[in-house]
């Protein structure tokens, strides 16, 4: 996933498009202050990494997390609306953690993946309450 994230920043910025980071899987936890602090620290870590990698914005799973995510983005972006000036020249692939291999491919896999993607869009995505943020 690390190679994918960095390659996404590279591709987007090369084309003058904003690179929007992924959603942290963590959410605030009510009625458990210790677990909540741990979750918020994890979200802060995720968004700090995204900002430092060159992402221009991102997603959070709960509206209450926008302030934390924005704080981390603004630390890196400052007054700039994006990080297009950060043009990655890295090469990504097997040496940086890609797990794709010919043995992992079969003629039926693309159809299966397509079905899963359509199912997700049709049944899960409209019901979510995620938030996108950009500076």
């Amino acid at each position: 996933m690390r190679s994918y994230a960095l390659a996404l920043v590279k591709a987007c910025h090369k084309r003058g498009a904003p690179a929007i980071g992924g959603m942290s899987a963590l959410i605030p936890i009510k009625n458990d202050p210790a677990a909540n602090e741990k979750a918020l620290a994890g979200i802060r870590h995720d968004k700090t990494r995204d900002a430092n990698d060159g992402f221009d914005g991102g997603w959070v799973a709960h509206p209450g997390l926008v302030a934390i995510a924005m704080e981390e983005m603004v630390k890196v972006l400052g007054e700039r609306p994006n990080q297009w000036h950060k043009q990655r020249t890295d090469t990504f692939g097997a040496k940086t953690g890609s797990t794709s291999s010919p043995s992992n491919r079969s003629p039926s896999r693309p159809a299966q993946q397509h079905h899963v993607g359509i199912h997700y869009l049709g049944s899960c995505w409209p019901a979510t309450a995620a938030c996108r943020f950009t500076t």
Side-chain angles (χ1 to χ4, degrees), residues 23-45:
M23 186 185 322
S24 177
L26 303 167
I27 58 171
I29 300 171
K30 293 181 180 181
N31 304 322
D32 189 341
N36 189 52
E37 284 304 312
K38 186 176 179 180
L40 295 179
I43 292 161
R44 186 173 300 280
H45 174 76

Side-chain angles (χ1 to χ4, degrees), residues 4 30 37 47 55 57 63 74-75 85 92 97-98 101 107 111 118 122-123 128 134:
Y4 163 78
K30 293 181 180 181
E37 284 304 312
K47 298 308 163 186
F55 283 99
V74 169
K75 283 180 187 177
H85 64 283
F92 306 102
S98 173
S101 68
I118 297 299
S123 64
T128 63
T134 57

Side-chain angles (χ1 to χ4, degrees), residues 46-125:
D46 289 349
K47 298 308 163 186
T48 298
R49 183 189 57 238
D50 284 355
N52 287 323
D53 283 350
F55 283 99
D56 306 304
W59 291 86
V60 291
H62 187 277
L65 303 174
V66 171
I68 291 173
M70 284 294 293
E71 181 183 329
E72 297 309 316
M73 281 289 166
V74 169
K75 283 180 187 177
V76 175
L77 273 76
E79 296 294 320
R80 293 184 308 273
N82 57 56
Q83 297 192 74
W84 294 350
H85 64 283
K86 285 188 178 178
Q87 294 292 322
R88 298 199 74 98
T89 58
D90 324 46
T91 301
F92 306 102
K95 292 181 182 177
T96 57
S98 173
T99 58
S100 179
S101 68
S103 63
N104 194 21
R105 298 182 189 127
S106 72
S108 64
R109 245 179 115 73
Q112 178 187 17
Q113 292 167 345
H114 176 77
H115 174 74
V116 170
I118 297 299
H119 176 72
Y120 173 77
L121 289 173
S123 64
C124 303
W125 185 38

